[in-house]
Amino acid sequence: MPVVSDFVLIQESGVNIGDSGTSLFEKNFGTGGRYSNAPAMIMLMVKGLTAAGDTTVRVNNKTIGVIEYQPGASPHHWFTQIIPFPGNYLRNGNNELEVRAKLYPNGNDSFDDFKIANVVCFFHQEA
């Protein structure tokens, strides 16, 4: 049986995470007809995660990896991040993506503010 690839756009416009936005970004997305025996990946753009360290990314309450922080980088530059994970973490239908704010190491802020955009999930699909 042939296996093909598919993708779903989870979030296009930028979302603020941290003190200037939400401390927990949650978004539902569908992966109907997905093939669970092949890997999947989340690809996204991030900017502003420059001080607190990596932040955890979860799909369906399972940790799939981290968004890596960019120490010393300009908070105005976008970086592409790719997080591969097992395809069987996805459901054949509705799924949930979670990105949590990262506690700021010191100062008056509670969180290291950052922004994500163009969040896409790539997955294999049965033909």
Side-chain angles (χ1 to χ4, degrees):
M1 173 184 313
V3 177
V4 297
S5 294
D6 203 352
F7 69 92
V8 59
L9 179 62
I10 300 170
Q11 178 70 37
E12 184 174 10
S13 60
V15 174
N16 292 319
I17 300 175
D19 298 306
S20 63
T22 181
S23 63
L24 174 62
F25 171 76
E26 295 177 294
K27 187 84 177 225
N28 292 327
F29 64 99
T31 56
R34 64 103 173 98
Y35 179 66
S36 64
N37 293 331
M41 70 176 173
I42 297 284
M43 185 169 71
L44 56 88
M45 300 294 293
V46 62
K47 75 174 178 177
L49 188 60
T50 59
D54 300 344
T55 188
T56 302
V57 178
R58 297 170 55 91
V59 169
N60 298 325
N61 297 315
K62 295 178 183 173
T63 299
I64 63 165
V66 297
I67 298 173
E68 296 178 9
Y69 84 114
Q70 305 294 324
S74 168
H76 305 290
H77 293 161
W78 287 97
F79 296 90
T80 301
Q81 302 263 330
I82 299 172
I83 306 169
F85 62 97
N88 63 1
Y89 284 19
L90 293 171
R91 298 181 186 130
N92 190 14
N94 197 38
N95 298 273
E96 181 183 58
L97 174 72
E98 297 177 16
V99 178
R100 292 190 181 277
K102 186 72 174 182
L103 289 175
Y104 200 77
N106 52 35
N108 296 331
D109 287 340
S110 297
F111 301 107
D112 186 5
D113 296 343
F114 65 100
K115 185 177 267 193
I116 61 172
N118 302 322
V119 182
V120 179
C121 179
F122 294 89
F123 58 96
H124 287 84
Q125 193 172 44
E126 295 193 45

